[in-house]
Amino acid sequence: MKNPIAKVLVPVAGLGTRLMPATKSQPKEMLPVGRKPAVQYVVEELQAAQLNQILLITGRRKRSIEDHFDSEPELIAALEKAGNEAALDDLKFLANGAAQFFYTRQSVQRGLGHAVALGKEFVGSDNCVVALGDSLIAAADPSAPIRGMMAAHMDLGAAAIIAVEQVPPHDTHRYGIVAVDGAAPPPGEPIAVTNIIEKPPAGTAPSTMAVAARYIFSPAIFDALERTAPGRKGEIQLTDAIAALIRMGQPVYAWLLPPDQRRYDVGNFESYFRTFIDFALADERYGYMVRQYIKAKAYEL
Ligand code: G1P
């Protein structure tokens, strides 16, 4: 069956200031998580969901992302000549799927909403997915949340479906938080969102359901973004544009990730280390070795 959505925006323009000096000259999205740079997981998740037109919204010092996804016939030919099957296997992602990559640059740091708005012409009158380039989904099938959300989006004719995850109450100030009527929804079922607030001050969050880096939008989001004034930190917040959609009476839904589909990110060192460790532990080639090492190490701690 043809995918109802083909276009996806992947914002990767953030400066990575919380990851200095590791991100002084390289994008945070290129930090390795196990054997791959973080953003490769995101692209593979999108390809698995047959989202084949990928616009990466980059910025200064982000050129290595473009190089990473560029096919490199000379390198492949040299590896073939040398009979280096292992390296060829590791570079298979370059030939995977029918994905086309597009790039645009956000040259001023005006926020996530501003970055997404740069995709307006690319998306046109289609629906689109937004996947934050520093956030990974760990699951038996990492494309499951997006595929479920796309199906729900089509059924509901929604203006937006937002993946959310449960976070501890003391962490709500780090995320966009959604409000719903009544109790938290069952995982994997859309529930109407009545409000959404970007990083509410401690103690003021309307729930513990945090925006989890994957969104589906109708083109209405671009009109809402155009009308969104700078908010938190003087930046145009995607969350504020979603709140505007809700105020306009547009249908906006949350999609709670089940416990076996987890979001990870490389936005700060704490979450980066956690992400690296969990993905290394789950690595099909090196996971066993890492587990043995950590078990032995745990005795020394
Ligand atoms: C962004 C969004 C926030 C969301 C978070 C994780 O924040 O603005 O609403 O909860 O990603 O998906 P950031 O982590 O870029 O500060």
Side-chain angles (χ1 to χ4, degrees):
M1 202 189 90
K2 196 175 170 300
N3 223 17
I5 300 179
K7 292 176 182 169
V8 41
L9 309 178
V10 183
V12 286
L15 289 179
T17 38
R18 285 175 290 175
L19 291 158
M20 291 291 178
T23 50
K24 167 71 175 63
S25 66
Q26 68 170 337
K28 64 175 166 176
E29 297 81 6
M30 287 299 289
L31 292 177
V33 171
R35 287 182 288 132
K36 301 175 198 173
V39 67
Q40 189 178 330
Y41 291 91
V42 180
V43 164
E44 288 176 347
E45 172 197 329
L46 299 170
Q47 287 177 312
Q50 293 176 40
L51 288 155
N52 288 327
Q53 294 187 38
I54 303 174
L55 174 67
L56 288 122
I57 299 150
T58 72
R60 266 183 290 284
R61 292 189 290 279
K62 299 280 180 169
R63 246 173 314 187
S64 58
I65 297 177
E66 207 168 326
D67 290 340
H68 188 70
F69 294 111
D70 194 12
S71 63
E72 207 176 324
E74 301 84 355
L75 173 64
I76 302 293
L79 292 170
E80 277 169 353
K81 201 167 158 217
N84 191 340
E85 294 301 326
L88 283 167
D89 203 47
D90 290 336
L91 291 175
K92 263 199 181 136
F93 73 96
L94 289 173
N96 271 352
Q100 270 185 295
F101 294 94
F102 303 85
Y103 297 90
T104 191
R105 278 165 80 114
Q106 185 190 31
S107 31
V108 283
Q109 290 289 313
R110 291 187 57 205
L112 179 59
H114 176 255
V116 169
L118 295 174
K120 182 180 176 179
E121 302 298 322
F122 171 79
V123 172
S125 57
D126 294 333
N127 296 307
C128 70
V129 166
V130 171
L132 305 191
D134 69 351
S135 294
L136 286 55
I137 302 289
D141 171 6
S143 72
I146 281 200
R147 285 191 297 100
M149 289 161 68
M150 283 198 288
H153 189 260
M154 290 301 125
D155 283 351
L156 296 162
I161 299 205
I162 308 156
V164 297
E165 62 183 336
Q166 289 288 8
V167 298
H170 60 263
D171 272 349
T172 47
H173 67 283
R174 297 169 186 256
Y175 299 97
I177 301 291
V178 299
V180 300
D181 273 339
E189 268 180 43
I191 180 155
V193 175
T194 55
N195 196 9
I196 182 166
I197 303 163
E198 182 65 11
K199 306 197 171 90
T204 67
S207 81
T208 51
M209 282 182 282
V211 175
R214 299 292 182 270
Y215 314 75
I216 298 187
F217 292 116
S218 80
I221 191 65
F222 295 106
D223 299 334
L225 280 166
E226 264 166 26
R227 279 187 257 124
T228 298
R232 205 181 162 275
K233 283 169 71 187
E235 296 182 341
I236 309 231
Q237 298 291 345
L238 182 57
T239 298
D240 292 346
I242 300 170
L245 287 177
I246 299 168
R247 279 198 307 275
M248 288 188 276
Q250 299 253 10
V252 172
Y253 294 88
W255 179 271
L256 181 63
L257 298 179
D260 61 349
Q261 297 173 4
R262 285 192 58 193
R263 186 199 65 91
Y264 286 82
D265 72 69
V266 298
N268 60 63
F269 281 116
E270 235 178 78
S271 58
Y272 174 55
F273 286 137
R274 231 179 272 132
T275 305
F276 192 106
I277 291 170
D278 280 7
F279 276 72
L281 284 168
D283 188 286
E284 56 183 29
R285 205 181 295 168
Y286 294 96
Y288 178 78
M289 181 280 286
V290 179
R291 284 192 292 278
Q292 298 309 308
Y293 178 71
I294 287 186
K295 276 184 196 161
K297 194 83 193 162
Y299 281 109
E300 294 170 24
L301 301 175

